[in-house]
Structure formats: C-alpha cells, structure tokens
Amino acid sequence: MQGIHVLSTKFLIESEVKRLRDAGFQYSFHPFITIESKDDNKTIERTKEIFEKQDKQTLLVFTSVNALRFIYIAQKYAGKHIKTSKIACIDGITLQNSLNFFDAKNIVIKAPNAARLAEQIVKSEYKKIIHFCGNISLGEVSDALAITGKTVERFVVYETKFTPMKVRQKYHGVMFFSPSGVESFYSEN
C-alpha cells in the first residue's frame, strides 16, 4: 500500500493519522465544511425552556455529535434539568459523547443510525420529541415521526457551512464523514 495518498474531509486525531501512516498511507486534510454552534440569545432561551418544561412524555433526540457539542455550551443554562432528560441517540461517537452530559440510565433509546432510531421512537410511549440537529439534516427522524401523531420539534442548534475548494493534487481516495462534506467537495470538483 505504499504510496497511496488520501484526502480527509475531516480533521483526524493523532491516533487515526498514525493508523493511516502505519498502514502505508499518506494523508492530507482539508475541511470541506465548518460547524458553528448557535449560541445566540434566542437559541439559548429556547434551550432553557426545553429543559425546564420537559415532562415524562418528552424525549430529546441526538443524531449528531455536533448537536451534543451545543449541549456543552448550553448545559450552564439547562441547570439541574439536564440530568433528568430522557434521551434517544445513535450509537458510536454520539452515544459516547452523550454520556458526558446525560446519565446512562436516561439514554432510553439507541440505534445504529437515524432511520432505525426513528423506528424505535415511533414505537415508544414518548409524545413530545425534540430533535437537536443542524441546519442541514437528512430529515430521517423528523420525516418518520411527522405522521405518527407525536409532537415533533426540529431544534437547530448548529450550522453547517460549506468551505469548498478546487483540489488540484491527485489523490487515490477521499474520506468523507458526512453528506454535507460530499456535497461541498463536489461543488468544486
């Protein structure tokens, strides 16, 4: 595999870069998207309201680690209510990061992807669903729940912005980590 050069559309941590290099890959990086948490007054006020007014029928949904990064900002506004929230999230890094904010016993629904998560939420007893998400979302959760009679709120807590560039160097492969990264990349290439 010597001489294979890949472009990553996401910053990789040191251990990931080491694994690539140990396998004989050369690695380059360009962020084809940026993520910005919304920390404006309107979003913060809505966050306070969500956490203060949640009840036993409320389920908070996270399908992205970026939405959880917003919770890091918002936790000082959510107060003691954050520990009592009932959570649904996708497995992997999103689940791992959710444990930084929510008690494991309160993560009541988990699934490998958003479509499966939505299926489980449809079958659940929760009537009020608040999906913490970005401005660009595939809509799998919101669309699946829209026809169920459950109250669904799509709460945008971060913005994905495209940062495309024309790639002039030849690569053997490109590593994508989100549909937005793919769209941004191909908008110039």
Side-chain angles (χ1 to χ4, degrees), residues 27-38:
Y27 156 82
S28 294
F29 160 71
H30 178 75
F32 284 86
I33 60 171
T34 59
I35 304 297
E36 295 179 10
S37 288
K38 290 180 69 176

Side-chain angles (χ1 to χ4, degrees), residues 33-94:
I33 60 171
T34 59
I35 304 297
E36 295 179 10
S37 288
K38 290 180 69 176
D39 58 358
D40 58 280
N41 286 338
K42 182 179 177 184
T43 306
I44 295 299
E45 286 304 314
R46 180 65 186 124
T47 303
K48 283 187 208 177
E49 184 180 345
I50 287 169
F51 281 99
E52 289 172 1
K53 292 186 177 181
Q54 67 184 331
D55 59 24
K56 292 179 182 177
Q57 295 296 308
T58 304
L59 182 67
L60 308 182
V61 179
F62 296 89
T63 54
S64 164
V65 72
N66 295 313
L68 284 164
R69 287 189 185 118
F70 170 77
I71 295 300
Y72 177 79
I73 294 167
Q75 66 185 340
K76 65 182 172 188
Y77 304 105
K80 65 180 186 239
H81 307 288
I82 201 165
K83 289 296 183 189
T84 61
S85 302
K86 299 301 181 200
I87 306 300
C89 69
I90 58 172
D91 290 328
I93 195 165
T94 303

Side-chain angles (χ1 to χ4, degrees), residues 164-178:
M165 71 167 223
K166 184 76 173 161
V167 175
R168 306 225 183 277
Q169 185 170 345
K170 298 287 184 204
Y171 294 97
H172 294 95
V174 180
M175 298 186 301
F176 295 106
F177 298 89
S178 72

